[in-house]
């Protein structure tokens, strides 16, 4: 995975989340969204994602100093779901989980500030 490009719908949803949370960086919100989706422990709907926005970042920008950790999290999730961990499968489910996570964070109505993200992260499943 070298580049992360989002759908226009996800970019719009992230813009709303940026306004609500005050988090300025796309990549930080994307990390929250990915982890939220991975925590759901279900397969996201296998849909074709149209990467039609101008929001694009490198994998290193997405992950920051911990880019290897995010890669490992997606691989571990694939193993837990009984999926292969080849590069293509990991990239596919990274994108599906990222898009689902953005959609769910935006659609919950629960996220009104950055404190709500923290509460969500601390909530036990």
């Amino acid at each position: 995975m070298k580049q992360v490009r989002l759908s226009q719908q996800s970019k719009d949803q992230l813009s709303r989340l940026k306004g609500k949370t005050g988090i300025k960086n796309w990549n930080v919100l994307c990390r929250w969204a990915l982890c939220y989706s991975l925590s759901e422990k279900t397969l996201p709907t296998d849909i074709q994602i149209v990467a039609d926005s101008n929001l694009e970042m490198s994998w290193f920008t997405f992950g920051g100093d911990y880019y290897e950790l995010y890669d490992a999290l997606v691989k571990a999730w694939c193993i837990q779901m009984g999926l292969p961990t080849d590069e293509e499968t990991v990239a596919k489910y990274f994108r599906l989980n990222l898009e689902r996570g953005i959609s769910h964070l935006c659609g919950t109505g629960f996220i009104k500030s950055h404190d709500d993200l923290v509460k969500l992260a601390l909530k036990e499943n």
Side-chain angles (χ1 to χ4, degrees):
M1 228 174 321
K2 298 200 180 355
Q3 291 297 111
V4 178
R5 182 187 294 255
L6 296 174
S7 68
Q8 186 61 48
Q9 178 181 343
S10 286
K11 181 184 176 189
D12 294 344
Q13 290 171 328
L14 280 175
S15 292
R16 289 194 295 279
L17 283 172
K18 282 175 77 172
K20 289 179 180 182
T21 63
I23 295 173
K24 305 260 187 270
N25 297 331
W26 301 104
N27 58 331
V28 173
L29 283 171
C30 285
R31 293 174 199 164
W32 279 96
L34 175 66
C35 291
Y36 181 68
S37 182
L38 292 174
S39 75
E40 291 188 8
K41 298 180 177 62
T42 59
L43 288 172
T45 304
D46 189 355
I47 55 170
Q48 182 67 35
I49 296 171
V50 181
D52 58 350
S53 78
N54 62 355
L55 177 53
E56 184 174 22
M57 64 191 95
S58 73
W59 175 244
F60 300 108
T61 299
F62 170 85
D65 291 340
Y66 302 104
Y67 71 92
E68 292 170 318
L69 176 64
Y70 293 104
D71 185 51
L73 284 171
V74 176
K75 284 180 182 173
W77 179 89
C78 284
I79 291 167
Q80 186 178 10
M81 294 290 126
L83 298 168
T85 56
D86 59 279
E87 193 173 321
E88 185 178 325
T89 302
V90 171
K92 171 184 174 178
Y93 282 98
F94 164 78
R95 285 186 168 73
L96 288 171
N97 274 293
L98 178 58
E99 292 274 337
R100 175 175 74 173
I102 293 168
S103 179
H104 285 197
L105 285 181
C106 195
T108 61
F110 173 73
I111 307 298
K112 297 189 180 10
S113 71
H114 66 279
D115 289 338
D116 293 331
L117 285 173
V118 174
K119 289 176 192 168
L120 191 65
L122 297 175
K123 182 176 140 187
E124 291 192 24
N125 293 331

